[in-house]
Amino acid sequence: MLQVSDLIEATRRGGRASLRFPKERFGSGPRPPVVVWNVVRHCNMCCPHCYAAASSRPSPTDLSTSEALRVLDSIAAAGVRVLIFSGGEPLLRPDLFFLMDKARRLGLRPHLSTNGSLIDSEAARRLVDSGVVYVGVSIDGPADFNDLYRGLPGGFERAVRALRLARAAGLRTGLRLTLMRDNRQYLEEVYATAREVGANRFYVSHLIGAGRARGLADQALSRAEARASLRLLFALAERGLDEGWSTRVVTGSNDSDGPFLLRWLRERYGARADVVAELLLRRGGNSAGEGLLNIDARGRVHPDQFWQEAVLGDVRTDRFEDILAHPLRTQLARRSDALCGRCGGCAYLDLCRGSHRGRALAAHGDPWASDPACVLEDSEISVPHSQKPLEAST
């Protein structure tokens, strides 16, 4: 994810002191991957953009409790430290709190990604007791739009309640929205909701055509629409810093947001924004298959939750240490040498690293081709030498 508010704040501070940001956000060097684990495939909602294509009923192919416990042992032994429990709706899994507590005892930091509909005060307390450190709740717009789109009356109010209860219990929280053509007009309204409930993050994720979202090509934003939406988010984040709002803006699923933010900051702050180029270089651009992995509900391991075509192994049969040795991970670590098209010749390649390879595969049949969702114009990816993004740190 791209820490928009933090990067704007770094620019406004100026100087080398701005580089003292948490290493988990802007660190450098190899780190254990974050694992997103879809612990169930079923859900009590039916969102049209669901990347997991969640069903309405439990699947017989979901991992059993004993299998799930072996997965926890295996990923902990492989050095994983952050584990995001996702779905479907993970709170539909009867042994979820038991698994989270086991993860905590193994030294993992459990996070929860949920629609929030099943979080009451008791569930919030149990999340704390299980060692959960962050709860991300997804909606798609204001109440009327959200509930119709997601197919659950009252879903919006339940999500808001979940965020309030989680915050009251002492958990860090985030409100997440997947950006589409039908809901982009609600960005500012949903950000206001995030602030009202005290969420630590307002997380805007770009749409990726995975799962049911393969049928939503008409919902993908044009480049002009995406750029306008990002400018609004940047302005909201800047206003938040001015007015002392605690809710930070972040974006995800499109690493070209980083160079676009850098250019926006340079227009406003000039050379003071050069610190952001260095922070983006530390961040390292897209990390699917390297700093991020996904375990689906059947136990198969993928570079991330949106790139299901690539399978690195199966936790039912393979040790996680062996899965980490899959040759695709080595290829992805060297992706800058393999990328072609607009991505291969981009002046910001080291900051973005081609963004999402699964999206490139879907569009071109080639995982090393250009990501069609890049928000930069052709004239911007071949900037003159005097404006090269890393000049300040050479």
Side-chain angles (χ1 to χ4, degrees):
M1 68 181 68
L2 183 74
Q3 308 284 349
V4 172
S5 296
D6 287 357
L7 290 167
I8 295 175
E9 183 180 22
T11 300
R12 289 157 61 122
R13 283 185 188 174
R16 300 290 297 182
S18 298
L19 296 177
R20 292 182 299 198
F21 275 75
K23 288 185 177 179
E24 64 268 22
R25 298 183 186 179
F26 300 107
S28 57
R31 286 167 288 174
V34 172
V35 173
V36 178
W37 185 9
N38 302 101
V39 291
V40 294
R41 188 169 173 247
H42 64 296
C43 186
N44 57 344
M45 294 187 180
C46 52
C47 308
H49 58 45
C50 178
Y51 71 81
S55 58
S56 60
R57 296 183 179 182
S59 169
T61 62
D62 288 352
L63 273 64
S64 66
T65 298
S66 60
E67 288 173 325
L69 290 172
R70 288 197 296 272
V71 170
L72 290 171
D73 287 332
S74 184
I75 64 175
V80 172
R81 288 296 171 261
V82 178
L83 178 61
I84 303 173
F85 288 83
S86 187
E89 173 46 55
L91 284 163
L92 289 172
R93 183 166 178 129
D95 60 0
L96 179 69
F97 296 108
F98 176 65
L99 296 178
M100 287 177 162
D101 185 64
K102 170 70 171 179
R104 176 186 60 82
R105 288 186 281 112
L106 287 170
L108 299 164
R109 287 187 291 159
H111 293 56
L112 178 67
S113 179
T114 174
N115 61 38
S117 65
L118 301 177
I119 295 180
D120 55 18
S121 56
E122 173 64 13
R125 183 193 63 79
R126 293 186 71 184
L127 289 171
V128 174
D129 292 344
S130 300
V132 172
V133 297
Y134 179 85
V135 175
V137 176
S138 298
I139 65 171
D140 290 302
D144 290 348
F145 179 89
N146 179 81
D147 295 356
L148 181 62
Y149 188 81
R150 289 184 159 243
L152 182 67
F156 178 88
E157 290 303 322
R158 294 191 197 184
V160 167
R161 178 193 64 181
L163 287 163
R164 294 189 190 280
L165 290 171
R167 286 289 291 154
L171 294 163
R172 288 183 57 80
T173 61
L175 180 60
R176 177 172 180 155
L177 176 141
T178 298
L179 185 61
M180 302 172 291
R181 186 161 283 160
D182 279 350
N183 68 358
R184 61 185 292 256
Q185 69 267 33
Y186 302 127
L187 274 177
E188 191 164 1
E189 185 174 349
V190 177
Y191 183 35
T193 299
R195 298 197 333 265
E196 288 168 9
V197 300
N200 299 97
R201 288 176 179 165
F202 176 47
Y203 183 6
V204 177
S205 178
H206 293 261
L207 181 68
I208 297 181
R212 280 202 291 270
R214 288 192 183 95
L216 295 181
D218 62 329
Q219 286 299 308
L221 269 59
S222 68
R223 183 173 294 157
E225 290 169 332
R227 289 164 69 95
S229 297
L230 288 170
R231 289 191 190 99
L232 172 59
L233 284 172
F234 299 165
L236 289 172
E238 190 171 48
R239 181 182 170 195
L241 294 172
D242 289 337
E243 301 189 12
W245 299 340
S246 60
T247 302
R248 296 280 171 138
V249 173
V250 301
T251 68
S253 302
N254 193 331
D255 296 272
S256 67
D257 289 359
F260 188 67
L261 174 61
L262 174 61
R263 296 180 64 88
W264 185 85
L265 288 169
R266 279 181 165 159
E267 289 174 0
R268 298 174 69 81
Y269 295 97
R272 291 171 64 188
D274 287 344
V275 66
V276 171
E278 188 161 346
L279 288 170
L280 290 174
L281 184 62
R282 285 188 183 189
R283 175 180 174 269
N286 185 270
S287 64
E290 302 172 79
L292 177 66
L293 293 171
N294 167 244
I295 304 172
D296 70 21
R298 295 176 56 183
R300 298 169 301 186
V301 180
H302 311 279
D304 71 9
Q305 61 270 43
F306 303 106
W307 189 2
Q308 299 289 294
E309 294 84 358
V311 180
L312 308 182
D314 190 321
V315 294
R316 279 188 161 114
T317 57
D318 305 324
R319 294 189 315 155
F320 210 74
E321 289 181 357
D322 295 332
I323 292 172
L324 292 180
H326 193 282
L328 180 57
R329 296 193 74 230
T330 302
Q331 290 179 282
L332 287 168
R334 300 172 180 169
R335 71 181 76 189
S336 294
D337 297 330
L339 291 171
C340 56
R342 294 178 86 247
C343 290
C346 180
Y348 298 98
L349 177 58
D350 290 340
L351 307 188
C352 171
R353 299 179 75 229
S355 196
H356 202 272
R357 299 295 88 216
R359 196 154 43 203
L361 177 65
H364 307 291
D366 180 358
W368 310 115
S370 300
D371 183 340
C374 175
V375 301
L376 298 177
E377 301 286 1
D378 288 349
S379 60
E380 295 171 333
I381 66 174
S382 299
V383 295
H385 179 76
S386 62
Q387 295 295 315
K388 282 187 177 178
L390 302 183
E391 184 182 32
S393 55
T394 56

